[in-house]
């Protein structure tokens, strides 16, 4: 008899601890977000085709930024590298669609959905919690909507995305192997605001 594998997020057992965080710094996991690494020349035909497929006029080319399309977010990772995230498209399907769009141009698309998970930090003290373990200037005038940073939070490499212009809503993308560590750290850092 074949065994069935059950899909589990890296923070599946953390809902009780997250629910106990104060309203001024609430934590939730956004599990199973599709993530595809995309490598392509943004100025070439492959870049234009990938952007069209994602519903964008072009891929973001400014360092430290992201662009949201109708059903995906494209985060600049390097001059010819992006992380494409989606809650609407499956990883294998998005990888295949992007691969087909860029195949003739020598680019690559790889589904890395199982590699990371996403934590959402919201509340009046969200920025204060992040400032305890991140050296970036997180003021919304500097780090607001449209910005994205690959940085270190506590001791974990993360992708940090501000979602509002008040410093009260952030998406944190973390590698699965560091998710438990980061969750512990965030809960501890948030408890001051109970």
């Amino acid at each position: 008899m074949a065994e069935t594998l059950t899909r589990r997020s890296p923070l599946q057992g953390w809902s009780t601890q997250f629910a106990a965080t104060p309203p001024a710094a609430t934590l939730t996991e956004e599990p199973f977000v599709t993530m595809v690494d995309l490598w392509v020349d943004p100025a070439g035909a492959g870049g234009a085709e990938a952007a069209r497929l994602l519903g964008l006029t072009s891929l973001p080319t400014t360092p430290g930024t992201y662009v949201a399309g109708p059903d995906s977010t494209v985060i600049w990772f390097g001059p010819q590298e992006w992380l494409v995230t989606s809650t609407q498209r499956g990883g294998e399907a998005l990888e295949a669609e992007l691969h087909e769009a860029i195949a003739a141009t020598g680019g690559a698309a790889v589904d890395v959905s199982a590699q990371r998970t996403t934590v959402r930090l919201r509340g009046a003290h969200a920025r204060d919690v992040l400032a305890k373990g991140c050296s970036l200037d997180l003021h919304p005038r500097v780090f607001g909507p449209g910005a994205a940073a690959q940085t270190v939070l506590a001791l974990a490499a993360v992708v940090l995305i501000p979602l509002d212009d008040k410093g009260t809503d952030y998406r944190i993308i973390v590698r699965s192997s560091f998710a438990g560590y980061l969750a512990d750290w965030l809960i501890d850092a948030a408890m001051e605001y109970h």
Side-chain angles (χ1 to χ4, degrees), residues 6-72:
T6 303
R7 188 177 186 191
R8 292 179 48 100
S9 84
L11 297 174
Q12 184 168 323
W14 290 81
S15 58
T16 302
Q17 294 99 312
F18 285 170
T21 54
T26 62
L27 293 165
T28 53
E29 183 188 17
E30 296 176 342
F32 311 122
V33 174
T34 293
M35 298 186 197
V36 174
D37 278 337
L38 172 66
W39 295 274
V40 68
D41 178 358
E49 189 58 24
R52 184 199 61 74
L53 176 73
L54 297 168
L56 306 173
T57 54
S58 63
L59 297 172
T61 55
T62 302
T65 63
Y66 75 90
V67 176
D71 63 3
S72 60

Side-chain angles (χ1 to χ4, degrees), residues 72-160:
S72 60
T73 299
V74 181
I75 305 163
W76 184 93
F77 265 23
Q80 295 188 358
E81 182 183 1
W82 296 265
L83 180 65
V84 180
T85 68
S86 178
T87 57
Q88 306 298 312
R89 297 179 180 197
E92 290 180 17
L94 183 56
E95 174 188 9
E97 291 170 13
L98 284 167
H99 186 272
E100 183 177 325
I102 63 173
T105 64
V110 179
D111 179 12
V112 294
S113 301
Q115 188 182 63
R116 298 178 177 101
T117 193
T118 304
V119 176
R120 189 81 172 264
L121 173 61
R122 295 180 226 181
H125 287 286
R127 182 165 56 113
D128 298 322
V129 168
L130 294 174
K132 290 179 180 187
C134 182
S135 63
L136 293 178
D137 181 351
L138 299 171
H139 195 283
R141 285 186 305 236
V142 177
F143 193 65
Q150 295 181 75
T151 188
V152 174
L153 177 57
L155 296 175
V158 299
V159 178
L160 186 60

